[in-house]
Amino acid sequence: MPPGGVGSRASAMATLRGLAHERFVDPQVGGLLEELEARDLDPESDDGALVRVTRRDYDHSVKIPAELVAEAARASTEARPVWQLAREDSDWKLFAPYLDRNVDINRRIADALGYAERPYDALLDRSEPGMTTRQLDALFGRLREAIVPLVHEIGRRQDAVDDSCLWGDWDERAQLDFGMQVVTRFGFDSERGRQDLSAHPFSSGLGAGDVRITTRVSRRSVSQAMFGTMHESGHAMYTQGHAPEFDGTPLWGGASPGVHESQSRLWENLVGRSRPMWRYFLGPLRQAFPGRLDGVDEETFYRAVNKVYPSLIRVEADEVTYNLHILLRFEIENDLLDRELKAADVPEAWNAKVEQYLGIKVPDDTQGALQDIHWSGISFGGFPGYTLGNVIGAQLMETVREAIPDLDDQIAAGEFGSLHGWLKEKVWRHGRKFTPGELLHRITGRSLEAEPWIRYVQQKFAEIYDLDLAAPRQH
Ligand code: ZN
């Protein structure tokens, strides 16, 4: 679509959404659901799940009054350009009243949906069905305890990893081709998908036969496009892996944004930034860029793609520090919704948390509280999905390793079929049939837990940075 098409596309989409919403909330649909619910369908069956998931969507859609939906849409449309200006000039005061209004609308949405303990529960339940603020509080608490000291230890050993081999001048066409070579090997089906360029990478699934990914390429660094493509391929393979009979039904789609992110992070990090990955792919990478990696061995390359930089910007964060960026947004969103914090005071709270968690100072709000687009919109409760993705991915991977004991050997040989098949069977196929909690329990026999991810990062980064985590230094 040309850039000039944005307006027409937006109004066409708004019309379609409005019509779909209007038809869906028709009381007749509620009556049909009641009729089906009376039939006591097997909850494990596709039909049972279809009724359950449609009921959840229906209840959410009818509970929020149409005027509130319209008001929310208007508020986002108005706040977006103000946020852009404020971000350019690092002018929080300009944006603060719009954030206050968005908080207020989020609260009214939460009130309309209903919640047991905190307004955040309602918003969270909409994106991550079954998850509660209390559960996330405990999860983030464990992560904070484990990551903050790890980040400080790594900070003392910054020079231990040299990533200069990733920088320089990298042919853009060759980067795109190499990315496709990698994800095709992973199992991305290019008969039912394609890759294009965009300013921000994303994946979109129009249906079983058309699942697209986009990539952003930088001439200066080989890693951005490469890991971005692996990430998006994880989302895309999830969509390509849904049971074909779910296509066009409410069961089409991922279990939640968090589960979706678990698939993208799994391929990007747990596979893409692993040692066996580069045992296999360093050769093809050298062939794709003749002469660029002479004298760079597998170990140097593996360490380079895992360098930890405590940074101000979430989207540039490495595997270790990423969750801290989410944690501080989760805490601030909750304080805003609980009315313990006013929008005007957000930068102060933000900067204090960045210093406490990451050990760095925020020079201006452009690199602080104004960096993300999310708060110019209405959808609070979305940020935790990123951390849930990391945590769920690691928890699934422990179970994968039990099921496929020689996984590392397979990856080192460029064989991804068993992993692809396992994920398709256990996760992708089910679409929206199960909630994130149900899915995780079915697969791992356990509820969501932080420990697998903590074990994974501690082990990996203690080795890379030569840290003795068993005997932490006294601060
Ligand atoms: Zn993603």
Side-chain angles (χ1 to χ4, degrees), residues 33-194:
L33 278 168
E34 270 167 38
E35 232 174 82
L36 289 165
E37 281 160 348
R39 292 195 190 178
D40 279 328
L41 294 163
D42 174 8
E44 289 281 309
S45 70
D46 290 351
D47 286 348
L50 185 60
V51 173
R52 188 169 64 235
V53 168
T54 309
R55 160 63 70 189
R56 194 172 72 214
D57 292 347
Y58 180 78
D59 285 350
H60 279 156
S61 298
V62 294
K63 276 181 185 167
I64 305 174
E67 309 84 67
L68 187 53
V69 174
E71 194 184 337
R74 212 166 38 242
S76 310
T77 311
E78 285 169 13
R80 185 67 43 92
V82 177
W83 165 77
Q84 264 163 353
L85 272 180
R87 184 174 180 235
E88 274 164 32
D89 300 342
S90 189
D91 184 357
W92 181 264
K93 277 202 191 75
L94 188 65
F95 179 60
Y98 291 84
L99 179 57
D100 270 329
R101 179 167 70 167
N102 284 353
V103 170
D104 180 61
I105 293 173
N106 269 295
R107 261 203 78 112
R108 283 155 57 205
I109 291 173
D111 288 342
L113 291 171
Y115 53 85
E117 290 188 13
R118 296 168 77 180
Y120 207 80
D121 285 327
L123 304 176
L124 192 59
D125 188 59
R126 201 160 52 144
S127 53
E128 300 290 332
M131 196 130 326
T132 64
T133 314
R134 187 183 281 264
Q135 205 179 355
L136 274 186
D137 260 335
L139 180 78
F140 277 118
R142 266 305 284 133
L143 293 175
R144 184 174 43 215
E145 247 170 57
I147 314 170
V148 173
L150 180 63
V151 171
H152 286 253
E153 287 298 310
I154 291 173
R156 295 162 182 264
R157 299 199 28 85
Q158 265 307 300
D159 301 338
V161 174
D162 174 9
D163 69 346
S164 56
C165 64
L166 303 177
W167 301 89
D169 189 28
W170 299 84
D171 182 74
E172 285 164 336
R173 185 69 248 168
Q175 287 193 55
L176 286 171
D177 292 345
F178 181 73
M180 270 316 274
Q181 186 187 340
V182 171
V183 303
T184 305
R185 194 94 207 162
F186 283 175
F188 173 73
D189 179 358
S190 47
E191 281 296 306
R192 297 188 295 136
R194 50 177 286 134

Side-chain angles (χ1 to χ4, degrees), residues 231-232 235 261 264:
H231 181 100
E232 298 308 329
H235 286 302
E261 200 63 14
S264 55

Side-chain angles (χ1 to χ4, degrees), residues 399-458:
T399 308
V400 170
R401 288 190 180 284
E402 283 166 25
I404 312 172
D406 65 339
L407 180 67
D408 283 346
D409 295 337
Q410 293 189 19
I411 294 175
E415 297 299 336
F416 298 91
S418 311
L419 178 59
H420 185 280
W422 190 94
L423 290 167
K424 185 173 178 183
E425 172 66 23
K426 304 283 181 185
V427 183
W428 304 342
R429 179 167 76 83
H430 299 299
R432 298 179 70 211
K433 188 169 171 181
F434 303 109
T435 66
E438 287 165 354
L439 192 66
L440 209 51
H441 212 272
R442 288 173 66 90
I443 300 171
T444 69
R446 309 179 68 89
S447 314
L448 176 74
E449 44 189 17
E451 301 311 318
W453 186 82
I454 293 172
R455 275 195 286 277
Y456 159 73
V457 285
Q458 284 182 337

